[in-house]
Amino acid sequence: MNRGLYIGATSLVVNQKKLDVLSNNLANVNTAGYKKDISLSESFPEKLLAKMSKTPEFGNIARGNNIIYENNNGVHTARTEDGYFVLETTRGKSYVKEIKVVADEEGNLKTYYKDLMDENKTDYENYLIDDSGNRIQEAGDMENMLQGIVFTPPSYVVGTMSGGVRFQKIFTDFTHGGMMDTGGELDLAIKGDGFFKIQGDGQTLYTRNGSFAITDGYLTDLDGRRVLGRNGAIPLSGGNVDILENGQIQVDGNVIDTLDVVNINNKEFLRKMGDNLFYGAENANIEENPFEGEVLQGYLEGSNMNPISGMVEMINLLRDFETGQKAIKMQDEMLEKAATEIGRV
């Protein structure tokens, strides 16, 4: 198969998925408490390219494993000229000239990304390994250690090549949306970090959408799921409802319960399930902490999706998509010439 066609096609697939995510964000510009999604993509592992004849390449004769190394607040950056660093990815080993890695909770060195709080995250990222497949841990003289794991390929290896790009995952942006004054007695907004807890089908759900109602004598979301207080489901039936900044619920001056609003430390393990609700990923332990913000009665939190920046992003994605189409068209025209004209020479 023509590699250029394949690589060009991978970029079109990734752009199409990014457009789908962005379209969903724009469709929820007016959804209370909506949190926009951000698409992350990555290249396929860099594979070694070797000559079929295995004739040694003169330029590939090893000249040592010297590296250029820098440590910037725990981010280890290293580059080698004469060999490769090896990364363990979900699709096999990747051979790269330059790495930027940080230590995860177990001390293993991994590639990373930054969340919107500018914190380094390593979940689902790639491990730095030696040529035997052993994961490398942060310890001691990092420069000498990294220099010692540089892999020197056989002399007939001529370089590396990636198979294109792929859609890696969707990352949810939990930054706050603006406050909307509705005056509704059961419209609630959270000022600061935190989530309302909802009674799901066998599991606890979380939401920032405080558009609530009374269903069958209980405080519920608009789909009838019960909102949780510190004593469980919250009974409400008539009377004047006052909800204080600390979440305490009063009906005609009598305290009924207090909303069970919690902060979540590891929001990266929250997953969307529709209707503006989140649940904990499988096998993930959601870390709940005491709520330190304020509950505002008569307000709703708006979506954190900015329609103008979204439209700019969509235009850029469409341009990238057109560029990918042109690249594939050029490859196709080259194949056509090879099939119809070269034979006549």
Side-chain angles (χ1 to χ4, degrees), residues 10-22 37-44 90-91 164-171 317:
T10 62
S11 73
L12 294 187
V13 171
V14 169
N15 272 322
Q16 181 61 58
K17 291 182 178 178
K18 285 183 174 179
L19 279 172
D20 292 342
V21 173
L22 182 57
D37 291 322
I38 297 173
S39 305
L40 296 181
S41 58
E42 66 175 4
S43 64
F44 282 105
T90 55
R91 295 174 182 264
V165 294
R166 75 182 186 97
F167 193 86
Q168 185 192 30
K169 64 180 177 180
I170 294 175
F171 176 75
L317 281 175

mmCIF file of all heavy atoms in Angstrom, residues 10-22 37-44 90-91 164-171 317:
data_model
loop_
_atom_site.group_PDB
_atom_site.id
_atom_site.type_symbol
_atom_site.label_atom_id
_atom_site.label_comp_id
_atom_site.label_asym_id
_atom_site.label_seq_id
_atom_site.Cartn_x
_atom_site.Cartn_y
_atom_site.Cartn_z
ATOM 1 N N THR A 10 -5.074 8.968 7.636
ATOM 2 C CA THR A 10 -5.165 9.043 9.098
ATOM 3 C C THR A 10 -5.436 10.469 9.561
ATOM 4 O O THR A 10 -6.171 10.697 10.523
ATOM 5 C CB THR A 10 -3.877 8.527 9.770
ATOM 6 O OG1 THR A 10 -2.776 9.351 9.374
ATOM 7 C CG2 THR A 10 -3.603 7.094 9.412
ATOM 8 N N SER A 11 -4.842 11.453 8.856
ATOM 9 C CA SER A 11 -5.077 12.848 9.259
ATOM 10 C C SER A 11 -6.532 13.238 9.005
ATOM 11 O O SER A 11 -7.127 13.986 9.794
ATOM 12 C CB SER A 11 -4.128 13.786 8.521
ATOM 13 O OG SER A 11 -4.498 13.927 7.168
ATOM 14 N N LEU A 12 -7.128 12.741 7.908
ATOM 15 C CA LEU A 12 -8.533 13.054 7.638
ATOM 16 C C LEU A 12 -9.441 12.448 8.705
ATOM 17 O O LEU A 12 -10.407 13.082 9.148
ATOM 18 C CB LEU A 12 -8.937 12.529 6.258
ATOM 19 C CG LEU A 12 -8.265 13.175 5.043
ATOM 20 C CD1 LEU A 12 -8.903 12.665 3.759
ATOM 21 C CD2 LEU A 12 -8.361 14.688 5.098
ATOM 22 N N VAL A 13 -9.136 11.214 9.121
ATOM 23 C CA VAL A 13 -9.966 10.557 10.143
ATOM 24 C C VAL A 13 -9.906 11.335 11.458
ATOM 25 O O VAL A 13 -10.928 11.577 12.117
ATOM 26 C CB VAL A 13 -9.497 9.107 10.359
ATOM 27 C CG1 VAL A 13 -10.190 8.482 11.566
ATOM 28 C CG2 VAL A 13 -9.764 8.270 9.112
ATOM 29 N N VAL A 14 -8.689 11.753 11.853
ATOM 30 C CA VAL A 14 -8.535 12.509 13.098
ATOM 31 C C VAL A 14 -9.278 13.837 13.017
ATOM 32 O O VAL A 14 -9.988 14.239 13.956
ATOM 33 C CB VAL A 14 -7.041 12.749 13.396
ATOM 34 C CG1 VAL A 14 -6.871 13.760 14.530
ATOM 35 C CG2 VAL A 14 -6.372 11.438 13.771
ATOM 36 N N ASN A 15 -9.144 14.540 11.870
ATOM 37 C CA ASN A 15 -9.834 15.823 11.730
ATOM 38 C C ASN A 15 -11.343 15.655 11.781
ATOM 39 O O ASN A 15 -12.050 16.496 12.335
ATOM 40 C CB ASN A 15 -9.432 16.490 10.411
ATOM 41 C CG ASN A 15 -8.192 17.348 10.577
ATOM 42 O OD1 ASN A 15 -8.022 18.006 11.599
ATOM 43 N ND2 ASN A 15 -7.326 17.341 9.604
ATOM 44 N N GLN A 16 -11.852 14.570 11.212
ATOM 45 C CA GLN A 16 -13.295 14.336 11.243
ATOM 46 C C GLN A 16 -13.783 14.144 12.678
ATOM 47 O O GLN A 16 -14.812 14.693 13.080
ATOM 48 C CB GLN A 16 -13.635 13.105 10.402
ATOM 49 C CG GLN A 16 -15.120 12.789 10.342
ATOM 50 C CD GLN A 16 -15.925 13.913 9.718
ATOM 51 O OE1 GLN A 16 -15.664 14.308 8.577
ATOM 52 N NE2 GLN A 16 -16.883 14.456 10.465
ATOM 53 N N LYS A 17 -13.024 13.378 13.479
ATOM 54 C CA LYS A 17 -13.414 13.164 14.876
ATOM 55 C C LYS A 17 -13.338 14.462 15.680
ATOM 56 O O LYS A 17 -14.181 14.734 16.536
ATOM 57 C CB LYS A 17 -12.541 12.084 15.505
ATOM 58 C CG LYS A 17 -12.816 10.691 14.946
ATOM 59 C CD LYS A 17 -11.979 9.635 15.628
ATOM 60 C CE LYS A 17 -12.324 8.252 15.082
ATOM 61 N NZ LYS A 17 -11.498 7.180 15.688
ATOM 62 N N LYS A 18 -12.307 15.279 15.387
ATOM 63 C CA LYS A 18 -12.205 16.567 16.081
ATOM 64 C C LYS A 18 -13.388 17.461 15.740
ATOM 65 O O LYS A 18 -13.916 18.173 16.591
ATOM 66 C CB LYS A 18 -10.891 17.259 15.700
ATOM 67 C CG LYS A 18 -9.663 16.664 16.354
ATOM 68 C CD LYS A 18 -8.420 17.467 15.987
ATOM 69 C CE LYS A 18 -7.202 16.983 16.747
ATOM 70 N NZ LYS A 18 -5.987 17.749 16.386
ATOM 71 N N LEU A 19 -13.805 17.426 14.477
ATOM 72 C CA LEU A 19 -14.972 18.216 14.076
ATOM 73 C C LEU A 19 -16.237 17.747 14.789
ATOM 74 O O LEU A 19 -17.084 18.555 15.177
ATOM 75 C CB LEU A 19 -15.160 18.122 12.555
ATOM 76 C CG LEU A 19 -14.273 19.039 11.712
ATOM 77 C CD1 LEU A 19 -14.411 18.699 10.224
ATOM 78 C CD2 LEU A 19 -14.631 20.498 11.939
ATOM 79 N N ASP A 20 -16.373 16.425 14.985
ATOM 80 C CA ASP A 20 -17.538 15.891 15.692
ATOM 81 C C ASP A 20 -17.581 16.403 17.134
ATOM 82 O O ASP A 20 -18.641 16.800 17.644
ATOM 83 C CB ASP A 20 -17.504 14.360 15.690
ATOM 84 C CG ASP A 20 -17.720 13.778 14.299
ATOM 85 O OD1 ASP A 20 -18.225 14.512 13.427
ATOM 86 O OD2 ASP A 20 -17.367 12.600 14.085
ATOM 87 N N VAL A 21 -16.415 16.382 17.801
ATOM 88 C CA VAL A 21 -16.344 16.852 19.190
ATOM 89 C C VAL A 21 -16.656 18.342 19.262
ATOM 90 O O VAL A 21 -17.433 18.803 20.117
ATOM 91 C CB VAL A 21 -14.944 16.568 19.775
ATOM 92 C CG1 VAL A 21 -14.792 17.207 21.154
ATOM 93 C CG2 VAL A 21 -14.710 15.069 19.877
ATOM 94 N N LEU A 22 -16.068 19.110 18.340
ATOM 95 C CA LEU A 22 -16.295 20.553 18.344
ATOM 96 C C LEU A 22 -17.750 20.891 18.045
ATOM 97 O O LEU A 22 -18.328 21.812 18.648
ATOM 98 C CB LEU A 22 -15.368 21.203 17.308
ATOM 99 C CG LEU A 22 -15.423 22.724 17.197
ATOM 100 C CD1 LEU A 22 -15.113 23.373 18.540
ATOM 101 C CD2 LEU A 22 -14.434 23.216 16.138
ATOM 102 N N ASP A 37 -15.526 19.689 25.654
ATOM 103 C CA ASP A 37 -14.526 18.633 25.454
ATOM 104 C C ASP A 37 -13.407 19.146 24.563
ATOM 105 O O ASP A 37 -13.629 19.953 23.650
ATOM 106 C CB ASP A 37 -15.173 17.408 24.804
ATOM 107 C CG ASP A 37 -16.128 16.709 25.742
ATOM 108 O OD1 ASP A 37 -15.816 16.643 26.946
ATOM 109 O OD2 ASP A 37 -17.179 16.255 25.278
ATOM 110 N N ILE A 38 -12.205 18.644 24.810
ATOM 111 C CA ILE A 38 -11.030 18.998 24.013
ATOM 112 C C ILE A 38 -10.456 17.708 23.434
ATOM 113 O O ILE A 38 -10.288 16.721 24.155
ATOM 114 C CB ILE A 38 -9.984 19.726 24.875
ATOM 115 C CG1 ILE A 38 -10.559 21.047 25.391
ATOM 116 C CG2 ILE A 38 -8.703 19.986 24.084
ATOM 117 C CD1 ILE A 38 -9.668 21.762 26.372
ATOM 118 N N SER A 39 -10.166 17.711 22.153
ATOM 119 C CA SER A 39 -9.640 16.515 21.482
ATOM 120 C C SER A 39 -8.115 16.475 21.592
ATOM 121 O O SER A 39 -7.446 17.485 21.407
ATOM 122 C CB SER A 39 -10.022 16.532 19.998
ATOM 123 O OG SER A 39 -11.408 16.665 19.844
ATOM 124 N N LEU A 40 -7.594 15.301 21.892
ATOM 125 C CA LEU A 40 -6.146 15.101 21.911
ATOM 126 C C LEU A 40 -5.785 14.040 20.873
ATOM 127 O O LEU A 40 -6.442 13.003 20.775
ATOM 128 C CB LEU A 40 -5.673 14.643 23.286
ATOM 129 C CG LEU A 40 -5.865 15.628 24.442
ATOM 130 C CD1 LEU A 40 -5.319 15.026 25.737
ATOM 131 C CD2 LEU A 40 -5.166 16.943 24.158
ATOM 132 N N SER A 41 -4.774 14.315 20.083
ATOM 133 C CA SER A 41 -4.309 13.345 19.085
ATOM 134 C C SER A 41 -2.818 13.102 19.276
ATOM 135 O O SER A 41 -2.128 13.885 19.944
ATOM 136 C CB SER A 41 -4.598 13.850 17.668
ATOM 137 O OG SER A 41 -3.977 15.098 17.462
ATOM 138 N N GLU A 42 -2.316 12.031 18.715
ATOM 139 C CA GLU A 42 -0.900 11.704 18.829
ATOM 140 C C GLU A 42 -0.457 10.959 17.575
ATOM 141 O O GLU A 42 -1.290 10.410 16.836
ATOM 142 C CB GLU A 42 -0.626 10.847 20.062
ATOM 143 C CG GLU A 42 -1.252 9.461 19.989
ATOM 144 C CD GLU A 42 -0.879 8.589 21.161
ATOM 145 O OE1 GLU A 42 -0.199 9.064 22.066
ATOM 146 O OE2 GLU A 42 -1.274 7.405 21.147
ATOM 147 N N SER A 43 0.842 10.951 17.341
ATOM 148 C CA SER A 43 1.356 10.233 16.178
ATOM 149 C C SER A 43 1.494 8.755 16.512
ATOM 150 O O SER A 43 1.608 8.369 17.684
ATOM 151 C CB SER A 43 2.707 10.803 15.751
ATOM 152 O OG SER A 43 3.657 10.587 16.764
ATOM 153 N N PHE A 44 1.462 7.911 15.496
ATOM 154 C CA PHE A 44 1.751 6.497 15.697
ATOM 155 C C PHE A 44 3.218 6.339 16.110
ATOM 156 O O PHE A 44 4.033 7.243 15.880
ATOM 157 C CB PHE A 44 1.484 5.720 14.415
ATOM 158 C CG PHE A 44 0.024 5.460 14.167
ATOM 159 C CD1 PHE A 44 -0.672 6.172 13.211
ATOM 160 C CD2 PHE A 44 -0.661 4.505 14.904
ATOM 161 C CE1 PHE A 44 -2.022 5.946 12.996
ATOM 162 C CE2 PHE A 44 -2.006 4.276 14.699
ATOM 163 C CZ PHE A 44 -2.693 4.993 13.747
ATOM 164 N N THR A 90 0.956 2.012 23.606
ATOM 165 C CA THR A 90 -0.072 0.969 23.499
ATOM 166 C C THR A 90 0.016 0.240 22.177
ATOM 167 O O THR A 90 -0.607 -0.805 21.999
ATOM 168 C CB THR A 90 -1.470 1.594 23.643
ATOM 169 O OG1 THR A 90 -1.621 2.633 22.670
ATOM 170 C CG2 THR A 90 -1.669 2.169 25.031
ATOM 171 N N ARG A 91 0.767 0.767 21.230
ATOM 172 C CA ARG A 91 0.899 0.136 19.914
ATOM 173 C C ARG A 91 2.331 -0.310 19.629
ATOM 174 O O ARG A 91 2.751 -0.370 18.484
ATOM 175 C CB ARG A 91 0.418 1.105 18.831
ATOM 176 C CG ARG A 91 -1.061 1.396 18.974
ATOM 177 C CD ARG A 91 -1.560 2.458 18.033
ATOM 178 N NE ARG A 91 -2.972 2.711 18.272
ATOM 179 C CZ ARG A 91 -3.969 2.155 17.594
ATOM 180 N NH1 ARG A 91 -3.699 1.340 16.610
ATOM 181 N NH2 ARG A 91 -5.210 2.423 17.883
ATOM 182 N N GLY A 164 1.579 7.976 10.735
ATOM 183 C CA GLY A 164 0.532 8.989 10.698
ATOM 184 C C GLY A 164 0.098 9.396 12.087
ATOM 185 O O GLY A 164 0.864 9.280 13.050
ATOM 186 N N VAL A 165 -1.107 9.893 12.205
ATOM 187 C CA VAL A 165 -1.634 10.347 13.496
ATOM 188 C C VAL A 165 -2.913 9.597 13.821
ATOM 189 O O VAL A 165 -3.559 9.035 12.939
ATOM 190 C CB VAL A 165 -1.914 11.866 13.482
ATOM 191 C CG1 VAL A 165 -0.644 12.655 13.356
ATOM 192 C CG2 VAL A 165 -2.889 12.208 12.366
ATOM 193 N N ARG A 166 -3.258 9.594 15.088
ATOM 194 C CA ARG A 166 -4.502 8.951 15.506
ATOM 195 C C ARG A 166 -5.153 9.774 16.604
ATOM 196 O O ARG A 166 -4.489 10.542 17.314
ATOM 197 C CB ARG A 166 -4.258 7.526 15.997
ATOM 198 C CG ARG A 166 -3.629 7.421 17.360
ATOM 199 C CD ARG A 166 -3.369 5.981 17.747
ATOM 200 N NE ARG A 166 -2.896 5.858 19.122
ATOM 201 C CZ ARG A 166 -3.668 5.569 20.158
ATOM 202 N NH1 ARG A 166 -4.957 5.389 19.977
ATOM 203 N NH2 ARG A 166 -3.182 5.470 21.371
ATOM 204 N N PHE A 167 -6.468 9.609 16.736
ATOM 205 C CA PHE A 167 -7.227 10.281 17.781
ATOM 206 C C PHE A 167 -6.945 9.565 19.087
ATOM 207 O O PHE A 167 -7.217 8.372 19.200
ATOM 208 C CB PHE A 167 -8.716 10.226 17.438
ATOM 209 C CG PHE A 167 -9.567 11.132 18.267
ATOM 210 C CD1 PHE A 167 -9.755 12.446 17.910
ATOM 211 C CD2 PHE A 167 -10.180 10.656 19.408
ATOM 212 C CE1 PHE A 167 -10.543 13.286 18.677
ATOM 213 C CE2 PHE A 167 -10.966 11.484 20.183
ATOM 214 C CZ PHE A 167 -11.151 12.804 19.809
ATOM 215 N N GLN A 168 -6.398 10.280 20.089
ATOM 216 C CA GLN A 168 -6.004 9.612 21.328
ATOM 217 C C GLN A 168 -7.143 9.551 22.337
ATOM 218 O O GLN A 168 -7.545 8.489 22.782
ATOM 219 C CB GLN A 168 -4.804 10.333 21.952
ATOM 220 C CG GLN A 168 -4.251 9.619 23.177
ATOM 221 C CD GLN A 168 -3.261 10.471 23.945
ATOM 222 O OE1 GLN A 168 -3.349 11.683 23.949
ATOM 223 N NE2 GLN A 168 -2.306 9.829 24.598
ATOM 224 N N LYS A 169 -7.709 10.701 22.713
ATOM 225 C CA LYS A 169 -8.772 10.705 23.714
ATOM 226 C C LYS A 169 -9.436 12.073 23.768
ATOM 227 O O LYS A 169 -8.969 13.039 23.159
ATOM 228 C CB LYS A 169 -8.223 10.359 25.093
ATOM 229 C CG LYS A 169 -7.226 11.368 25.635
ATOM 230 C CD LYS A 169 -6.732 10.926 27.008
ATOM 231 C CE LYS A 169 -5.675 11.875 27.540
ATOM 232 N NZ LYS A 169 -5.177 11.470 28.851
ATOM 233 N N ILE A 170 -10.533 12.125 24.505
ATOM 234 C CA ILE A 170 -11.252 13.379 24.728
ATOM 235 C C ILE A 170 -10.986 13.824 26.160
ATOM 236 O O ILE A 170 -11.091 13.036 27.097
ATOM 237 C CB ILE A 170 -12.757 13.193 24.502
ATOM 238 C CG1 ILE A 170 -13.025 12.876 23.031
ATOM 239 C CG2 ILE A 170 -13.523 14.444 24.910
ATOM 240 C CD1 ILE A 170 -14.479 12.557 22.738
ATOM 241 N N PHE A 171 -10.620 15.078 26.306
ATOM 242 C CA PHE A 171 -10.294 15.654 27.609
ATOM 243 C C PHE A 171 -11.350 16.705 27.928
ATOM 244 O O PHE A 171 -11.647 17.573 27.103
ATOM 245 C CB PHE A 171 -8.901 16.277 27.531
ATOM 246 C CG PHE A 171 -8.455 17.000 28.752
ATOM 247 C CD1 PHE A 171 -8.050 16.301 29.869
ATOM 248 C CD2 PHE A 171 -8.431 18.374 28.786
ATOM 249 C CE1 PHE A 171 -7.634 16.970 31.001
ATOM 250 C CE2 PHE A 171 -8.018 19.051 29.914
ATOM 251 C CZ PHE A 171 -7.617 18.340 31.022
ATOM 252 N N LEU A 317 -9.812 23.747 11.528
ATOM 253 C CA LEU A 317 -9.919 22.306 11.265
ATOM 254 C C LEU A 317 -10.333 22.039 9.824
ATOM 255 O O LEU A 317 -9.821 21.113 9.176
ATOM 256 C CB LEU A 317 -10.937 21.682 12.221
ATOM 257 C CG LEU A 317 -10.455 21.396 13.642
ATOM 258 C CD1 LEU A 317 -11.604 20.904 14.509
ATOM 259 C CD2 LEU A 317 -9.336 20.359 13.628
#
